[in-house]
Amino acid sequence: MAADLVRALAFSGPLVAAAHVAGARAHRIAGEAVVLNAGPTPAALAGRPRKSLPPLASTVLRDAVVEQADHLVVLRPTEGPLAGLTGEPGWHHLAESLPSYPRDTPLWRSPQDTLGTVRLDPGPLLREAAGAEREFAVRVNLWFAPAGTDCGIHHEHPFVEVHTQIHGLGRMQKFHRPTRESRYEDVPMAPGNTHEPFCDRALEYPWHQYRADTDCVWLAVEYHEESE
């Protein structure tokens, strides 16, 4: 892979600048940014002692150097209100693409982009036994929801998914049943946090949802297995 192939993602704009860095080699993060390692191997970070950012993990870096990484997503939100994202090109209320979704729930989705294809064994990422490596297409998009939004309890995804918090404070919540009263776990989400995958190797998910405690922007990262 060529070094430092940097491109703006489809949803990059004046409120959230978003870039994909492929084949990072001594890549400098100027200023402050949320950085996600979307690749299958650890991302090596400069500094002492030497540390690395695991796959499907993120952090906030400031004037830092990523010595080596396969796929990085670098996001820089503005300091002002981000509700204006709902009017940016390609953004839409989820009901526009999913008619069954309630129109009175204010959940907005950006255009989606594809980072490329990675080869990985999902077992260790899912805290399961190692198995065979497979090919996955990596797709990303942003979401926005205002303070107090329960984004909808669901449990079906045909892919491995994680979320990275970009702005605001929220929670990923798990439920025994599709009812709020059956909630049994909250996973706090603050800028720079990515939660562990909720699914198993068979793509079985618990009932779950995203809850926005404040106005929130977060990144969805999807790993779609490629057909043989």
Side-chain angles (χ1 to χ4, degrees):
M1 181 181 294
D4 269 10
L5 298 178
V6 183
R7 68 176 179 90
L9 290 167
F11 46 82
S12 184
L15 296 178
V16 178
H20 172 215
V21 184
R25 299 295 183 271
H27 181 80
R28 179 167 294 278
I29 305 296
E32 186 169 292
V34 175
V35 178
L36 167 76
N37 178 12
T41 59
L45 305 179
R48 300 231 180 256
R50 284 178 58 89
K51 295 291 182 179
S52 62
L53 188 62
L56 276 67
S58 59
T59 190
V60 178
L61 296 179
R62 183 176 184 274
D63 297 329
V65 173
V66 179
E67 294 183 339
Q68 182 172 337
D70 295 324
H71 292 279
L72 298 177
V73 180
V74 181
L75 302 114
R76 294 182 173 88
T78 63
E79 294 183 2
L82 294 178
L85 286 170
T86 62
E88 290 199 352
W91 280 76
H92 63 275
H93 189 279
L94 183 56
E96 295 177 26
S97 57
L98 184 64
S100 61
Y101 192 79
R103 287 254 172 201
D104 59 354
T105 300
L107 178 61
W108 298 79
R109 187 177 189 266
S110 79
Q112 191 172 69
D113 206 332
T114 300
L115 303 186
T117 301
V118 299
R119 187 168 185 82
L120 59 84
D121 172 10
L125 298 177
L126 303 178
R127 307 298 186 262
E128 297 185 7
E133 288 190 344
R134 285 129 58 184
E135 298 250 339
F136 292 83
V138 187
R139 302 173 189 171
V140 292
N141 64 270
L142 292 179
W143 293 93
F144 169 79
T149 303
D150 290 303
C151 293
I153 302 172
H154 58 290
H155 71 160
E156 293 183 355
H157 294 298
F159 45 78
V160 177
E161 179 184 55
V162 296
H163 302 89
T164 299
Q165 191 77 8
I166 308 304
H167 170 83
L169 300 175
R171 288 175 276 167
M172 289 296 298
Q173 299 179 317
K174 297 180 185 179
F175 304 83
H176 291 297
R177 297 173 297 282
T179 62
R180 293 180 187 177
E181 295 73 24
S182 68
R183 175 168 55 93
Y184 68 88
E185 184 179 357
D186 277 16
V187 180
M189 299 290 287
N193 291 157
T194 297
H195 64 82
E196 294 183 355
F198 286 179
C199 67
D200 61 14
R201 194 187 297 271
L203 299 181
E204 181 178 357
Y205 281 82
W207 291 100
H208 65 282
Q209 75 161 357
Y210 186 92
R211 160 79 182 181
D213 294 321
T214 68
D215 287 2
C216 284
V217 179
W218 65 99
L219 180 78
V221 189
E222 303 173 357
Y223 291 79
H224 295 253
E225 186 170 0
E226 298 275 75
S227 301
E228 295 293 340

